């Protein structure tokens, strides 16, 4: 298969760097798994693994008996063998757990995590990146959500131990992440201040993690990954570049058609007849202004076609970040059954995605693909008892005695209210955490019978994914997506744009 020389040279801040034209979006949880990122990076474009919830994902893969032995391979490569062995001993079940046996419940992330949880996060992030880097020598990146702040330190250190070359982060304003990357490149202690609702001056809001407390041997310096924040407005793009506490290497600019969480519309909320948020003029991104910022940027949200790639390049972007198209590729972590059923609907012209302003406990709009038997249906949601046992989207809050509590708008209403939450904030909320793990085949089983349902997210692009199918085929690969996106890139005008993406 022929590819355009996929890393275009660009001069940025006085030094030469190479940039991918296509970034495969980090799709959590576990949709952008190591297989998908590896398949994309093999082609010379940039594959990202999702760094969200890798701790339960690794633990559950091990409890499923580690089919294929891939987790064991990753653990064997981990530089601190005693730590890897503790994880193996704790979670691995030869032959896999009984289908009706629940997965172990893990401690939930909080400001001061236990050593055990930090170890699991470090190792899980290492393994995912390590596996994605096998079989080629191209860069691999990782995606995190800034909102899941309590995970950052251990997860980033684990990914850096595995040689991750890009950290891509959205869903928040990650001004203090560059500093963490700089510290961990030398295994130095780092800290991260988390947002605690109602916190007062003098409260301790800072997390710490010193790699030296975890290292079993000395290691040389690590690669400092490039840092690409994901933003949805010109203001935020400028803020990131002006105020971050270290180097920002580029930006991903995500529009509202993208899958997963979306930025809410600016101003007073307005909803369409079917209850989707309505975006206006103020939400439009001025791409010409982005070019003036002097860093490479990638456009995301509906850019998964050769035409849109060309348009992005012509507008001065370094390329595009594409998610939904890769979500339906063979290598992605989405359960094959969900892929096939949604693909069949897309072919029949019946697929649809609802931008749900209420579903996510974060309060951010969340794109939900409509599919029978999943949490897109009200009856399915009503059938699920509210349980919060993964807790990634919990909000830390100041308790009356000055401590830190954690609450989730999708947890049992009485609990949420007892923790000072407002009852109206619980309306329409869904358990994104359990839904996303069910999407990728790691659904929790309760009382030996009740199973968690999927909650599938996809971008508006879902309706058009059949374009990647070759005649007579019902599935496609990540390489098919790349080769389709680069169609026409041999045309002189486009090739020139691809080769000369220059941000000097
Ligand atoms: C299934 C799915 C899950 C996603 N999860 C995340 C995520 O965890 N973090 C993130 O920054 N972006 C997430 N995204 C957004 C993608 O990384 C990417 O920016 C987006 O999909 C691009 O738009 P497109 O879907 O129209 O190609 C997700 C997208 C999809 C489709």
């Amino acid at each position: 298969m022929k590819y355009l020389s996929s890393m275009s040279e660009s001069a940025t801040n006085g030094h030469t760097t190479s940039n991918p034209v296509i970034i495969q979006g980090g799709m959590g949880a576990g949709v952008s798994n190591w297989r998908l990122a590896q398949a994309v990076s093999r082609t010379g474009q940039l594959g990202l693994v999702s760094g969200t919830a890798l701790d339960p994902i690794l633990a559950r893969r091990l409890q499923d008996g580690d089919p294929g032995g891939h987790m064991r391979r990753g653990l064997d490569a981990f530089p601190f063998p005693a730590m890897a062995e503790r994880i193996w001993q704790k979670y691995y079940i030869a032959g896999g757990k009984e289908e009706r046996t629940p997965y172990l419940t893990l401690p939930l992330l909080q400001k001061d995590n236990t050593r055990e949880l930090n170890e699991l996060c470090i190792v899980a992030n290492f393994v995912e990146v390590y596996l994605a880097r096998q079989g080629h020598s191209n860069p691999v990146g990782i995606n995190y959500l800034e909102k899941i702040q309590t995970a950052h330190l251990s997860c980033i250190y684990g990914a850096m131990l595995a040689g991750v070359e890009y950290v891509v982060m959205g869903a928040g304003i990650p001004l203090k992440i560059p500093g963490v990357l700089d510290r961990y490149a030398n295994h130095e202690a780092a800290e991260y201040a988390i947002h605690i609702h109602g916190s007062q001056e003098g409260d301790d809001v800072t997390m710490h993690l010193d790699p030296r407390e975890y290292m079993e041997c000395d290691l040389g310096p690590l690669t400092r990954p490039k840092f690409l924040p994901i933003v949805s407005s010109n203001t935020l793009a400028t803020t990131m570049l002006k105020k971050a506490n270290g180097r920002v290497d580029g930006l991903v600019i995500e529009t509202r058609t993208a899958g997963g969480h979306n930025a809410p519309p600016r101003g007073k909320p307005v909803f369409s007849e079917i209850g989707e948020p309505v975006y206006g003029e103020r939400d439009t991104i001025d791409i010409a202004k982005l070019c003036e910022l002097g860093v490479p940027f990638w456009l995301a949200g509906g850019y998964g076609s050769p035409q849109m790639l060309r348009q992005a390049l012509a507008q001065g972007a370094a390329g595009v970040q594409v998610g939904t198209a890769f979500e339906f590729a063979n290598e992605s972590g989405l359960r094959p059954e969900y892929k096939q059923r949604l693909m069949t609907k897309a072919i029949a012209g019946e697929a649809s995605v609802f931008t749900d302003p209420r579903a996510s406990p974060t309060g951010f709009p969340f794109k939900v693909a409509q599919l029978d038997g999943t949490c897109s249906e009200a009856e399915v949601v009503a059938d699920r008892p509210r349980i919060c046992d993964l807790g990634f989207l919990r909000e830390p809050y100041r308790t009356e005695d000055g401590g830190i509590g954690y609450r989730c708008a999708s947890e049992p209403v009485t609990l949420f209210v007892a923790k000072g939450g407002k009852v109206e904030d619980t309306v329409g909320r869904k358990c994104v955490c359990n839904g996303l793990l069910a999407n990728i085949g790691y659904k929790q089983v309760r009382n030996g019978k009740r199973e968690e349902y999927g909650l599938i997210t996809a971008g508006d692009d879902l309706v058009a994914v059949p374009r990647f199918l070759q005649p007579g085929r019902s599935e496609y690969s990540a390489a098919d997506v790349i080769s389709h996106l680069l169609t026409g890139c041999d045309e002189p005008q486009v090739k020139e744009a691809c080769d000369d993406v220059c941000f000097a």
Side-chain angles (χ1 to χ4, degrees):
M1 189 173 300
K2 187 170 171 222
Y3 294 111
L4 155 108
S5 69
S6 52
M7 293 281 177
S8 54
E9 293 295 311
S10 72
T12 309
N13 303 334
H15 63 268
T16 301
T17 57
S18 54
N19 290 312
V21 173
I22 299 167
I23 302 177
Q24 160 253 311
M27 297 175 281
V31 171
S32 294
N33 58 11
W34 63 268
R35 286 177 201 278
L36 178 61
Q38 187 194 81
V40 172
S41 285
R42 270 176 191 275
T43 70
Q45 302 300 334
L46 180 61
L48 302 187
V49 295
S50 165
T52 302
L54 283 174
D55 41 329
I57 291 175
L58 171 64
R60 292 183 182 193
R61 285 176 183 155
L62 292 177
Q63 289 166 81
D64 284 345
D66 189 20
H70 303 294
M71 299 304 108
R72 184 68 250 183
R73 265 196 304 136
L75 291 172
D76 285 343
F78 189 66
F80 315 136
M83 198 192 296
E85 199 50 29
R86 282 194 286 277
I87 306 287
W88 178 260
Q89 291 300 336
K90 169 110 197 191
Y91 299 106
Y92 176 68
I93 300 176
K97 71 173 184 65
E98 293 293 327
E99 211 184 321
R100 297 276 141 199
T101 305
Y103 290 110
L104 288 176
T105 305
L106 301 182
L108 306 190
L109 286 163
Q110 49 188 349
K111 174 178 159 291
D112 298 312
N113 290 310
T114 59
R115 183 180 180 98
E116 190 185 344
L117 185 55
N118 277 336
E119 288 191 356
L120 181 60
C121 290
I122 292 171
V123 173
N125 279 258
F126 173 91
V127 168
E128 202 71 7
V129 173
Y130 169 83
L131 292 173
R133 294 191 66 211
Q134 297 309 293
H136 62 91
S137 54
N138 296 320
V140 162
I142 195 160
N143 172 285
Y144 296 111
L145 299 172
E146 200 280 334
K147 255 184 187 308
I148 309 183
Q149 297 182 322
T150 45
H152 289 335
L153 296 178
S154 51
C155 292
I156 289 174
Y157 184 61
M160 284 179 66
L161 277 176
V164 78
E165 290 197 39
Y166 285 80
V167 169
V168 181
M169 192 181 283
I173 310 178
L175 290 171
K176 299 283 159 64
I177 293 293
V180 174
L181 305 179
D182 293 337
R183 305 280 305 169
Y184 282 167
N186 293 310
H187 307 278
E188 289 165 350
E191 55 182 41
Y192 199 81
I194 62 171
H195 177 73
I196 297 172
H197 185 90
S199 67
Q200 298 176 4
E201 217 177 312
D203 286 352
D204 176 12
V205 298
T206 308
M207 291 172 13
H208 305 267
L209 189 132
D210 182 352
R212 303 249 163 229
E213 291 174 12
Y214 292 82
M215 295 168 75
E216 292 166 21
C217 57
D218 267 345
L219 294 176
L222 304 172
T223 303
R224 193 280 197 185
K226 292 184 182 175
F227 181 56
L228 311 181
I230 305 175
V231 296
S232 295
S233 72
N234 291 89
T235 315
L236 207 47
T238 310
T239 304
M240 278 310 312
L241 293 172
K242 279 200 177 146
K243 301 212 168 136
N245 70 345
R247 204 179 75 228
V248 171
D249 299 277
L251 297 162
V252 174
I253 314 294
E254 201 179 71
T255 68
R256 56 185 171 269
T257 66
H261 284 96
N262 297 150
R266 307 266 206 102
K268 200 165 168 269
V270 180
F271 298 98
S272 70
E273 264 174 32
I274 58 165
E276 291 184 307
V278 174
Y279 291 81
E281 267 298 298
R282 290 177 63 196
D283 302 302
T284 309
I285 295 163
D286 184 338
I287 295 176
K289 278 220 170 85
L290 292 173
C291 297
E292 294 165 12
L293 295 176
V295 292
F297 63 90
W298 289 260
L299 298 176
Y303 282 87
S305 68
Q307 297 75 17
M308 292 304 282
L309 170 58
R310 276 186 246 188
Q311 182 182 307
L313 294 170
Q315 288 177 304
V320 295
Q321 175 173 281
V322 174
T324 306
F326 288 109
E327 178 182 12
F328 291 89
N330 293 333
E331 296 91 342
S332 95
L334 184 65
R335 273 167 59 183
E337 178 222 332
Y338 286 163
K339 272 184 212 167
Q340 281 150 17
R341 289 173 58 206
L342 283 168
M343 180 65 83
T344 304
K345 283 184 81 167
I347 291 169
E350 289 165 3
S352 67
V353 173
F354 178 64
T355 306
D356 192 330
R358 302 287 320 167
S360 170
T362 62
F364 277 57
F366 186 67
K367 286 246 166 19
V368 179
Q370 306 296 295
L371 190 69
D372 295 355
T374 70
C375 290
S376 64
E377 293 188 309
E379 316 81 78
V380 171
V381 177
D383 183 51
R384 177 189 183 273
R386 279 176 171 250
I387 293 171
C388 176
D389 59 356
L390 288 166
F392 288 96
L393 300 177
R394 296 187 309 164
E395 175 192 48
Y397 67 95
R398 187 180 205 273
T399 56
E400 277 173 15
D401 60 0
I404 305 172
Y406 299 85
R407 64 188 173 211
C408 175
S410 299
E411 73 184 325
V413 177
T414 45
L415 266 182
F416 183 71
V417 173
K419 294 176 184 175
K422 293 191 191 125
V423 73
E424 56 271 29
D425 286 344
T426 66
V427 178
R429 301 296 187 212
K430 300 180 178 180
C431 180
V432 173
C433 296
N434 272 290
L436 294 191
L437 282 199
N439 289 347
I440 56 169
Y442 304 124
K443 54 179 185 282
Q444 185 56 295
V445 184
R446 305 193 188 280
N447 302 328
K449 46 183 192 297
R450 190 182 278 279
E451 287 183 350
E452 286 289 350
Y453 301 100
L455 172 59
I456 306 166
T457 182
D460 293 350
D461 197 22
L462 165 64
V463 298
V465 284
R467 69 188 180 279
F468 296 104
L469 295 174
Q470 300 288 335
R473 300 273 306 277
S474 58
E475 53 185 47
Y476 61 82
S477 67
D480 291 335
V481 175
I482 304 274
S483 98
H484 180 79
L485 296 187
L486 295 176
T487 308
C489 274
D490 284 338
E491 288 170 20
Q493 191 196 2
V494 181
K495 191 164 181 353
E496 196 186 345
C498 292
D499 287 345
D500 295 348
V501 185
C502 184
F503 306 90

